[in-house]
Amino acid sequence: MRHIISLLLENESGALSRVSGLFSARGYNIESLTVAPTDDPSLSRMTIVTSGSEQIIEQITKQLNKLIDVVRLIDLTPHRHIEREMMLVKVKVTDNTGREEAKRLTDIFRGNIVDVSQETYVIELTGHGSKLDSFLEALQGFPVMEVVRSGVMGIARGEVALHL
Amino acid sequence: MSETPAKSAAITGAEIFVRCLQEEGVEVVFGYPGGAVLHIYDALYRQDKIAHILVRHEQGAIHAAEGYAKSSDRCGVALVTSGPGATNAVTGIADAYMDSVPLVVFSGQVPTHLIGNDAFQEVDTVGITRPCVKHNFLVKDVKDLATTIKKAFYVATSGRPGPVLVDIPKDVTAQTAVFEYPKQIKMRSYNPTTRGHSGQIRKALELILSAKKPMLYTGGGVILGRASEALTEFTRKLGYPITNTLMGLGGYPASDRQFVGMLGMHGTYEANMGMHHADVLIAIGVRFDDRVTGNIEKFCPYAKIVHIDVDPASISKNVKVDIPIVGQVEPILREMVREMDNMPDQPDQDTLAGWWRQIEEWRAKDCLKYDRSSPIIKPQYVVQKLWELTGGDAFVTSDVGQHQMWAAQFYGFDKPNRWINSGGLGTMGVGLPFAMGAQFAHPDATVTCVTGEASIQMCIQELSTCLQYHLPIKILNLNNRYLGMVRQWQEFFYQGRYAMSYMDALPDFVKLAESYGHVGMRIEEPGDVEGAIREALALKDRLVFMDFITDQTENVYPMIPAGAGQNEMILL
Ligand SMILES: Cc1cc2nc3c(=O)[nH]c(=O)nc-3n(C[C@H](O)[C@H](O)[C@H](O)COP(=O)(O)OP(=O)(O)OC[C@H]3O[C@@H](n4cnc5c(N)ncnc54)[C@H](O)[C@@H]3O)c2cc1C
Ligand SMILES: Cc1ncc(C[n+]2csc(CCOP(=O)(O)OP(=O)(O)O)c2C)c(N)n1
Ligand SMILES: [Mg+2]
C-alpha cells in the first residue's frame, strides 16, 4: 500500500543522504522525496511517498526514527490529510488555436501560465498527484517539451500536527 | 600538556581532543598515525594519562577496541589517519555495527579547505562509513569539537550500543578554542527508552506464567545490557529452560541444568527442538537472526512470543511478535521478578515437569558427541581441554569458521563478557586483535584465542603488537588445513567439490611465532593436547602459539541446513 510519511530532521549536511541511503540499503521503495528547511532554520521537513506491506511500512518508520538526525515522524496515511504537488510544464504552442487551447486547459485545471515566449508556454499547476497526471493526459495533443514535478508534500488536517 | 592551561585560555583542537578523552575516562586508544592526525599524536605524546597502543594495521585497531569493549563494560576507542587509514578501519567498524559494540572511532581528514578536491589521502570517510555506523560526524569548526566528542560517546554507549565515527580535518586540530566539556548532553532527536511499559510487562508476565511449554531465548542484549544477574534470577524463579544465541553465551551460566545450550544453525538438538515445540517464547535481547530462525515460515509454529529489546526496529523485523516490550533488559527483568509474585496465576508445576521430561529426552541424544578415541586430534577435544584447564573462567576469543562453533559449543561460559567473537558480520581475522583488546581490559586474566589456520593469517601482523606490549595471549590454532566451514558446505551441498577451500602453502606456525619473538608449539597427538595447554598456561608472561594438527574431515554438528526448520537438524 502507498504511504505518505512526513519527517522533521536536523538541518545538517548528511541528513538527507542518511535517509536516502537507508532506503537504498534496505531495498525500500521510494516514489518521491521532497525536502526543504522549515520556519525554524535548524530543521528540515521531508515528505516521503513509499509503498510496501504493513510490515515493511512499520520497519520503514522504525528505521527512520532510529536515524539520529530524525527528530519527529508522522505517517500521514491513516490521518485525514492534504497532499500537494507542484508541476511546471513547458509546451510548444505554434499557432493561435494551440495557444487558446492551452490557456483553456490551464484554466480548467486552475493552473497559471507563468512564462510566454514566441512558441512556448510554461504552465504551473498545483494539486494532488492524480490531478497533475490528468492534466498531462489532457495535454496529449501538444508537444510537451519539459515536465518538472516537485514530488509530494503533505500535511494533516485539523489538530494533528508535526512539530517539536 | 604538562601544565593545565587556565580555564579561559584557548588550546588547540588536538589538545581539546586529548582533554575530552581524559574527561571521558578513556585509558586506552588503539591506533595508527599518519599525516592528518599528526597534531593529535603530538598532543598524545605530551600527556601521560591515556595509553596509545600502536597496532600493525588499522583493522587490528578497531577489532582490538572491540575486544576491549566486549570483554568489559567500557567503550572502545580507536584513532586512524585519513584515506587508507580510514578505509582499513571499515571492516572493523562494520563488524562493531553488526554486533552492537560501543565504539568511538576518530579518523583524521584533509584540511577543510581541501575537502572535495581529491586531496592527498582524501576519502569521503563519513560517506563510506554511513551505512555501518550508529552515527557519524564531520567536525568543521574547532568550537564544535568538544560537544561532538561528548555526543559521540553518549550515542555509542546508550540505547542499543554501536560504533560512532568522528572525522576531524587536520586544520581543526591546529585551530584553537577555549576548552569546555559539557557535563551532560541532551539531543532532541535521540532519546532511547530505558524502562519498559508497565502494562506490557504485566501482560507479558500473564502469558509467561500461563505457559505449558515455555522457552527462554536470550542473546547479545543481555551481555550488552549487563543483565546476566537479573536474567539468572528471573530464569531460576521461573524454572524454565533457557537457550542462548551465539552472542548471548555467558548471559546465563552454561553449567546450570536449566541451560539447554546454544540454539540455531549449529545449536543443540534440545535447544532447537524446544524452540520448535514451545507454546510461549520469551525472547530477550535477541534479533531473530536467520542463523537462529532457519526457515522463517517454519519458525516456532506453536508459540506466542514476548520480545524485550531496546531497539524498536528489532521488534517484529523478521518474526511478528505478540507482546513487545521496548526498553533496557536489566530494569525490565528486575521489574518482572518483583511483579511475578503478585500475579494471580503461577506456572503449573506438573505441566512443567512433563515439558522438562521431554527436554531431557532430547538432551539424552547427546547431539554434541564426537569420536573420543580418534588417533587424530579432534578439535572439540582441544576446546574441552581448554575449558577444563582454565576452570571455564578464561576470556575466549575466536575467529570465524568451524573452530568458532566448536569453541561456542564446548567452552561452557558461566559468566558474561568472557566469550568474544564476531557473530553478525562473521569477520575472519578478529580473533587475535579481539584478544589484545581483552588483555588490555584485563591485564592479569587468562586470555585465549581459538582460531583456524586461515583466519589467523588475516590479522597475523598483530603478533608484533603483542610482543611490543607483552600480551601473554594463548593462541590455539585448530589447524585442519582447510577453510573448514567452507569445506563442510562443499561436502554437504556441492557433492564434495572442494573449490578453493584447501589451505595450501601454510607457513610453519612455530617458526612464525618464534620469528615474532613468541613461543611456538606444534601438537600432533591427542595424548599431547593436555600437556601442551598446561605448559602454555604456565608460561604466564609469554604469548604462546599452539598449532594443533586436527582432523581435516571433522564437521560441525548438529546443523540446520539453509531453508530447513529448527526441527530438521542434521545429526552425526
Ligand atoms: C559461522 C557462523 C555461524 C553462526 N551460527 C549461529 C548459530 O548456530 N546460532 C546462533 O545463535 N548464532 C549463530 N551465528 C551468529 C548470528 O549470525 C548472529 O550474530 C546472532 O545469532 C545474533 O545474536 P543475537 O540475536 O543475540 O543478537 P545481537 O546481534 O547480539 O543483538 C542484540 C539484540 O539485543 C538488543 N539489545 C542490545 N542491548 C540491549 C539492552 N541493553 N537491552 C535490551 N535489548 C538490547 C539489540 O537491539 C539487538 O536486537 C553464527 C555466526 C557465524 C559467523
Ligand atoms: C573476511 C572473511 N572472508 C571470508 C569469509 C568466509 N568464510 C567463513 S568461514 C571460512 C573458513 C575459515 O577457515 P579457518 O579459519 O581455517 O577455520 P575453520 O573453519 O577451518 O575452523 C571462510 C573463508 C569470512 N567469514 N570472512
Ligand atoms: Mg581451517
Side-chain angles (χ1 to χ4, degrees), chain B residues 487-502:
Chain B
R487 191 203 58 76
Q488 176 167 347
W489 282 62
Q490 289 168 337
E491 177 186 330
F492 286 12
F493 311 117
Y494 296 88
Q495 291 78 46
R497 292 186 296 277
Y498 298 123
M500 294 296 129
S501 55
Y502 185 67

Side-chain angles (χ1 to χ4, degrees), chain B residues 98-100 159-161 217-221 224-225 244-248 262-267 285-289 291-292 308-311 314 327-329 400-401 404-405 422-424 426 485:
Chain B
M98 290 294 274
D99 287 345
S100 308
R160 178 179 183 167
Y217 149 47
T218 78
L224 293 161
N244 291 166
T245 67
L246 182 71
M247 304 315 285
M262 182 173 83
L263 82 165
M265 182 173 274
H266 293 298
V286 289
R287 56 184 179 83
F288 294 83
D289 185 80
R291 294 269 141 150
V292 164
I308 304 173
D309 204 293
V310 73
D311 178 5
S314 253
Q328 289 281 339
V329 204
V400 171
Q404 176 189 21
M405 295 297 107
S422 163
M485 186 58 94

Side-chain angles (χ1 to χ4, degrees), chain B residues 108-433:
Chain B
Q109 183 54 278
V110 302
T112 42
H113 69 275
L114 288 180
I115 290 180
N117 277 13
D118 300 323
F120 176 62
Q121 295 197 324
E122 177 183 4
V123 293
D124 175 9
T125 306
V126 162
I128 289 174
T129 56
R130 189 173 294 128
C132 58
V133 291
K134 183 170 173 186
H135 197 56
N136 59 18
F137 300 93
L138 171 64
V139 185
K140 285 199 187 133
D141 187 332
V142 67
K143 288 198 223 51
D144 299 332
L145 185 57
T147 321
T148 307
I149 293 178
K150 180 79 191 174
K151 280 185 188 168
F153 278 94
Y154 170 56
V155 171
T157 53
S158 58
R160 178 179 183 167
V164 175
L165 177 128
V166 184
D167 202 23
I168 312 177
K170 186 168 186 179
D171 53 334
V172 170
T173 62
Q175 288 155 6
T176 59
V178 173
F179 174 66
E180 211 179 327
Y181 202 60
K183 284 241 156 2
Q184 272 196 339
I185 201 94
K186 244 186 95 72
M187 293 168 71
R188 61 180 176 186
S189 57
Y190 176 70
N191 296 294
T193 315
T194 305
R195 290 176 46 94
H197 186 278
S198 298
Q200 288 293 92
I201 291 180
R202 282 191 68 85
K203 245 170 77 183
L205 269 179
E206 260 167 42
L207 177 66
I208 292 169
L209 295 174
S210 73
K212 296 190 168 61
K213 299 176 176 182
M215 192 70 178
L216 285 142
Y217 149 47
T218 78
V222 171
I223 313 282
L224 293 161
R226 291 156 217 164
S228 62
E229 228 177 74
L231 175 70
T232 307
E233 193 185 351
F234 178 67
T235 307
R236 294 241 165 94
K237 210 166 151 86
L238 284 168
Y240 291 176
I242 177 168
T243 177
N244 291 166
T245 67
L246 182 71
M247 304 315 285
L249 294 173
Y252 187 85
S255 56
D256 190 90
R257 200 68 200 152
Q258 277 172 256
F259 184 62
V260 295
M262 182 173 83
L263 82 165
M265 182 173 274
H266 293 298
T268 65
Y269 187 69
E270 50 273 31
N272 286 326
M273 291 301 274
M275 291 288 289
H276 183 79
H277 291 277
D279 70 341
V280 173
L281 183 64
I282 308 146
I284 305 174
V286 289
R287 56 184 179 83
F288 294 83
D289 185 80
D290 51 74
R291 294 269 141 150
V292 164
T293 60
N295 187 337
I296 274 286
E297 309 289 319
K298 301 180 183 171
F299 177 73
C300 288
Y302 315 111
K304 286 237 182 290
I305 306 177
V306 174
H307 187 191
I308 304 173
D309 204 293
V310 73
D311 178 5
S314 253
I315 287 169
S316 293
K317 180 169 71 178
N318 303 330
V319 172
K320 186 117 193 76
V321 304
D322 300 279
I323 306 179
I325 307 172
V326 176
Q328 289 281 339
V329 204
E330 213 266 351
I332 292 172
L333 289 180
R334 294 276 183 217
E335 186 168 341
M336 285 193 158
V337 169
R338 275 197 309 275
E339 283 294 306
M340 210 183 295
D341 295 327
N342 306 329
M343 300 299 289
D345 297 314
Q346 296 295 323
D348 182 83
Q349 292 306 319
D350 286 346
T351 319
L352 198 54
W355 176 229
W356 269 113
R357 271 194 299 280
Q358 171 67 75
I359 287 169
E360 293 305 338
E361 249 173 62
W362 289 325
R363 178 143 48 194
K365 276 235 176 209
D366 192 15
C367 68
L368 296 180
K369 61 179 172 278
Y370 63 90
D371 179 8
R372 279 158 213 260
S373 59
S374 160
I376 311 167
I377 298 177
K378 289 285 181 183
Q380 300 95 324
Y381 176 73
V382 178
V383 178
Q384 215 162 19
K385 279 290 159 203
L386 177 69
W387 174 76
E388 273 173 41
L389 297 171
T390 53
D393 201 28
F395 289 86
V396 180
T397 76
S398 88
D399 266 299
V400 171
Q402 292 183 314
H403 62 273
Q404 176 189 21
M405 295 297 107
W406 287 316
Q409 291 174 334
F410 289 87
Y411 198 99
F413 294 93
D414 280 342
K415 292 183 191 158
N417 304 101
R418 291 291 199 274
W419 167 235
I420 299 144
N421 81 135
S422 163
L425 199 65
T427 312
M428 287 170 69
V430 295
L432 180 55

Side-chain angles (χ1 to χ4, degrees), chain A residues 10-14 17-18 25-26 40 42-43 55 58-59 62-63 65-72 164, chain B residues 97 126 130-131 133-137 140 155 160 187-190 311-320:
Chain A
E10 299 288 355
N11 186 10
E12 273 172 22
S13 74
S17 45
R18 285 184 215 280
R26 293 188 182 267
D40 173 349
S42 72
L43 287 174
Q55 201 205 342
E58 186 183 326
Q59 264 301 306
K62 283 174 168 177
Q63 293 292 348
N65 259 318
K66 194 169 151 177
L67 293 177
I68 308 278
D69 283 338
V70 171
V71 187
R72 290 267 188 290
L164 285 191
Chain B
Y97 182 64
V126 162
R130 189 173 294 128
V133 291
K134 183 170 173 186
H135 197 56
N136 59 18
F137 300 93
K140 285 199 187 133
V155 171
R160 178 179 183 167
M187 293 168 71
R188 61 180 176 186
S189 57
Y190 176 70
D311 178 5
S314 253
I315 287 169
S316 293
K317 180 169 71 178
N318 303 330
V319 172
K320 186 117 193 76

